[in-house]
Structure formats: C-alpha cells, structure tokens
C-alpha cells in the first residue's frame, strides 16, 4: 500500500545517503511516528538525515541545551507549493514566532519528496557561529532535540506556531543514545479537548438556550433545559481538565486561548449557580433584574465560547474544511435564532404580554 511504499522508499533513501558518507562516527535513529531523525558526526560537522511523513505540511527539529523551545536552533523543512522542498535555519528566542538565523550555516546536500515524505540531508558546524546558534556537544553531555510538525502551508514563520504534534527527545550526541520523549503533546488530547468543548458550547448549551427561550409550550421544557445545561457544564469542566493535562509551553497564543477558556469556565459555573437563585415572583423587579442578567450572561458566554473555539481550531492547525464548517455552523445557527426571535417578538406584541409572563404562555 501507499504507506508501506513510502516507508520502503525512505529506507532506501537512508541507505543511499549513509553509503555516501562512508564510516560513521556515531548515529541515532529516533522514530517519533512522524519524523525519522538520523545523524553522523565528523571532526567539525554534524550531518542530519531527516524524513518527515507530513504530506503538504512541514516539520522542524530544534537543538537546545534545555528541554524547551526558547533558545533552540531550528531546522525547518517544508513543502513550498511554488518552490518545492525548502530548508531554513531559524532561532527561537521565546514562545513566539521564530526568526531566521543571523548567519545561515546549513548546507543542504539532498532534498526530495517521496509520496508524503519530505527527505533532506543537512550539514551544519558543531560549534557556534553567532549568538543565536547552539553548539553540538560531543563530550557526553546531554542535549535535547525538540521536534514538531504541522499541516499549515504558510511560507512565513507563523506556521511554526501551529503544531499538529510535538515532543522533546533527550540525546547524547557522543554515544548516539537517546531517551524520551521527555514530554510530548499527544494530538489525541487536542482532539478530545476540542470534541468536549464543541459538544458543550457548540451543541448542548446552545440547545439548552433555545429550549428555554423558544420551547416553553413543551411541558417539561424546564427540566430539559436544566438537564442539558448541567451536562454541558460538566463537559466544559472535563474539557478544561484535559487542556491542563496537555498544556506545554508558554506561547502567547496558548495563554490567550487558555485565559479565555478559564473565564468561560468560571462564568459558566457561576451561571449555573445563579440559575438556582431565580426569584419565584415573576412580576417583581428583582425577577426582572435576574432574568435579564441570566439571559444576557448566557448569550455573552455563548458568543465568547464560539470565538474561542474558532481561535482554538486555528491555533491547533485544524483542517481548513473543519474551520470553515464550524463558521458555517455558527452562521446557520445564528440565522435560525434570529428568525425565532423575530417570530417571538411578533407573537408577544400580538398577545400584549409582558416578557416575564412568558412562562404562562403556551408558546
């Protein structure tokens, strides 16, 4: 099949490359499921042989003295739609967009595309050339390879901010041994987090709002509304817990998405407890204040959650088709709500009934 053919082609590629180098001082193969990393070292250079089965996307490896992205020297490999396989020397100054290295010191001797695999052979000096470089240690000290890949076809460095998968591998370049991953973000957790949040704020909670607003002719509307919202809040809490488990790094975008999510969590739980304080005198002033506060906060949370879901889909490099589908879903759902609200207002005007008495209307 196609996967087997791609793997076989990659093995042939490695054998052909290594035979051209002759004797190897040391070598390592770290199969991370997406990126195959091998290397040889001579007196003053390290030769990386990289294979990434990422299709039209990109992959990158960074070298650092500590298990984190800030301070890492990065080799970025991508399939440029116009120029084919491209290799860039970059530097990560922090949890932000990497920048091109001051002095490019990568020597690319081979680059090719085999099915969905981007194969390259890159040579770079062991020692530092400028302040943004990381020296390769061959004295037995441990260092770290930070690897990542994504589906984005952006040609700018912002593509590196969106990881489909990432991890850290502890290596000893002298002996060729490795251990790890030191840490890794499993894409399954991103998917679980996204599914929980979508079911909560994309389906259940909006459905609960619609039930309370437009389904009061149904005898058990209140029980239905309360049950749906409770399940929605529980899924919200579960999604938030998953986000804490999968949290890695301090990227500004992740912080923003996380802070918005935390605000939604707190306000969502508060909204649930606030519902328990509902005054029973429907014509009282306090009931009027409660109603508009509960309703306004609910709509505000719904809009804020949708914005954060859109932000999250882009942040985690979700397929463009999925991002577009959710935006269309928001537009369609909002259109239905708009139509229902117009009908509701018209009927209330015809009946000349105060909005707070709608509980008594078979509507």
């Amino acid at each position: 099949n196609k996967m087997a053919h791609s793997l076989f082609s990659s093995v042939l590629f490695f054998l052909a490359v290594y035979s051209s180098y002759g004797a190897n001082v040391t070598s390592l193969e770290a199969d991370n499921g997406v990126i195959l990393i091998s290397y040889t070292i001579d007196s003053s250079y390290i030769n990386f042989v990289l294979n990434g089965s990422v299709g039209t996307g990109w992959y990158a490896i960074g070298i650092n003295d500590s298990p984190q992205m800030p301070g890492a020297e990065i080799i970025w490999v991508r399939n440029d739609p116009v120029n084919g396989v491209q290799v860039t020397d970059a530097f990560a100054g922090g949890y932000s967009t990497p920048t091109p290295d001051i002095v490019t010191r990568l020597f690319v001797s081979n680059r090719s595309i085999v099915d969905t695999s981007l194969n390259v052979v890159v040579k770079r000096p062991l020692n530092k050339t400028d302040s943004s470089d990381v020296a390769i240690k061959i004295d037995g000290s441990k260092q770290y390879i930070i690897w990542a890949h994504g589906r984005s076809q952006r040609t700018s460095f912002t593509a590196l901010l969106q990881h489909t998968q990432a991890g850290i591998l502890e290596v000893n370049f002298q002996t060729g041994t490795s251990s790890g991953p030191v840490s890794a973000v499993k894409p399954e957790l991103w998917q679980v987090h996204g599914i929980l949040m979508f079911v909560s704020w994309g389906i259940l909670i909006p459905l609960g709002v619609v039930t309370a607003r437009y389904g009061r002719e149904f005898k058990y509307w209140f029980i239905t509304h309360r049950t749906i919202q409770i399940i929605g809040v529980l899924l919200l809490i579960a999604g938030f817990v998953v986000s804490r488990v999968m949290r890695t790094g301090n990227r500004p975008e992740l912080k923003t998405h996380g802070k918005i999510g935390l605000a939604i969590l707190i306000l969502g739980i508060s909204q649930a407890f606030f519902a328990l304080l509902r005054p029973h005198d429907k014509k009282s002033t306090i009931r009027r204040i409660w109603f508009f506060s509960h309703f306004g906060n609910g709509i505000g949370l719904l809009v804020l959650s949708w914005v954060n879901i859109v932000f999250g889909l882009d942040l985690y490099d979700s397929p463009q088709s999925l991002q577009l589908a959710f935006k269309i879903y928001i537009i369609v759902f909002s259109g239905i709500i708009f139509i229902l609200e117009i009908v509701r207002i018209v009927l209330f005007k015809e009946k000349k009934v105060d909005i707070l008495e709608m509980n008594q209307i078979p509507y």
Side-chain angles (χ1 to χ4, degrees):
N1 56 32
K2 190 174 182 180
M3 182 178 295
H5 180 265
S6 176
L7 179 60
F8 180 70
S9 300
S10 298
V11 171
L12 291 180
F13 174 79
F14 280 117
L15 292 176
V17 168
Y18 279 137
S19 64
S20 66
Y21 282 126
N24 299 328
V25 175
T26 181
S27 64
L28 162 73
E29 292 191 6
D31 187 358
N32 297 309
V34 177
I35 306 168
L36 187 63
I37 305 170
S38 301
Y39 69 85
T40 59
I41 294 178
D42 55 31
S43 59
S44 56
Y45 288 91
I46 183 168
N47 307 287
F48 282 108
V49 182
L50 308 174
N51 168 262
S53 300
V54 295
T56 57
W58 61 267
Y59 65 87
I61 67 167
I63 302 171
N64 206 350
D65 294 328
S66 58
Q68 60 180 0
M69 181 56 72
E73 186 175 2
I74 301 170
I75 300 174
W76 178 29
V77 182
R78 64 196 182 280
N79 186 7
D80 189 292
V82 178
N83 302 310
V85 180
Q86 298 295 303
V87 183
T88 304
D89 188 7
F91 173 75
Y95 289 104
S96 57
T97 306
T99 57
D101 203 346
I102 298 173
V103 178
T104 299
R105 58 199 201 119
L106 295 181
F107 304 95
V108 183
S109 59
N110 195 316
R111 67 185 83 191
S112 64
I113 302 177
V114 180
D115 293 333
T116 62
S117 299
L118 306 183
N119 305 319
V120 299
V121 179
V122 179
K123 181 179 182 179
R124 54 145 286 187
L126 293 175
N127 297 323
K128 298 177 63 171
T129 304
D130 53 61
S131 58
S132 60
D133 296 335
V134 175
I136 300 294
K137 298 178 180 179
I138 54 175
D139 59 357
S141 301
K142 65 181 180 181
Q143 287 184 290
Y144 300 89
I145 291 179
I146 298 94
W147 58 270
H149 88 94
R151 288 186 290 265
S152 176
Q153 296 187 46
R154 299 174 185 174
T155 56
S156 66
F157 280 95
T158 56
L160 291 173
L161 296 178
Q162 298 178 309
H163 302 163
T164 301
Q165 191 175 28
I168 304 174
L169 191 70
E170 181 182 303
V171 298
N172 183 323
F173 284 106
Q174 181 186 44
T175 62
T177 57
S178 65
S179 62
V182 176
S183 64
V185 179
K186 296 182 178 180
E188 298 82 24
L189 291 181
W190 292 353
Q191 294 166 8
V192 170
H193 170 72
I195 290 172
L196 288 172
M197 290 307 188
F198 172 72
V199 174
S200 174
W201 285 103
I203 298 177
L204 291 180
I205 291 179
L207 183 59
V209 171
V210 170
T211 302
R213 188 72 170 170
Y214 310 108
R216 293 176 182 256
E217 77 287 350
F218 176 51
K219 181 179 179 180
Y220 300 104
W221 74 265
F222 180 73
I223 295 177
T224 302
H225 166 72
R226 183 174 60 185
T227 302
I228 291 175
Q229 301 305 72
I230 289 175
I231 296 174
V233 170
L234 290 177
L235 291 181
L236 166 64
I237 295 173
F240 184 81
V241 170
V242 171
S243 72
R244 297 300 91 187
V245 172
M246 73 179 189
R247 183 182 180 185
T248 58
N250 295 304
R251 284 166 50 197
E253 296 87 351
L254 283 174
K255 281 188 173 182
T256 301
H257 181 69
K259 287 179 180 178
I260 295 175
L262 178 60
I264 292 173
L265 175 71
I266 295 174
L267 293 175
I269 295 176
S270 300
Q271 178 80 340
F273 281 105
F274 188 60
L276 300 176
L277 303 177
R278 182 180 78 261
H280 295 287
D281 185 356
K282 299 176 182 178
K283 294 186 178 181
S284 65
T285 301
I286 190 66
R287 173 64 179 257
R288 183 179 295 271
I289 295 174
W290 176 90
F291 173 81
F292 285 108
S293 298
H294 186 64
F295 177 74
N297 186 47
I299 296 299
L301 276 173
L302 190 59
V303 173
L304 184 61
S305 67
W306 285 353
V307 171
N308 210 31
I309 290 176
V310 171
F311 185 29
L313 287 172
D314 180 68
L315 181 62
Y316 292 106
D317 200 18
S318 301
Q320 291 297 319
S321 57
L322 179 60
Q323 297 186 44
L324 178 61
F326 183 71
K327 292 174 183 177
I328 293 175
Y329 171 81
I330 292 176
I331 294 173
V332 171
F333 191 91
S334 300
I336 294 174
I337 294 297
F338 179 77
I339 294 173
L340 289 175
E341 191 65 19
I342 294 298
V343 173
R344 180 178 182 279
I345 291 174
V346 171
L347 291 179
F348 270 123
K349 285 185 177 181
E350 290 179 354
K351 294 177 179 290
K352 296 181 180 180
V353 178
D354 186 272
I355 191 173
L356 294 178
E357 296 180 10
M358 62 183 178
N359 288 342
Q360 302 172 357
I361 303 173
Y363 163 69

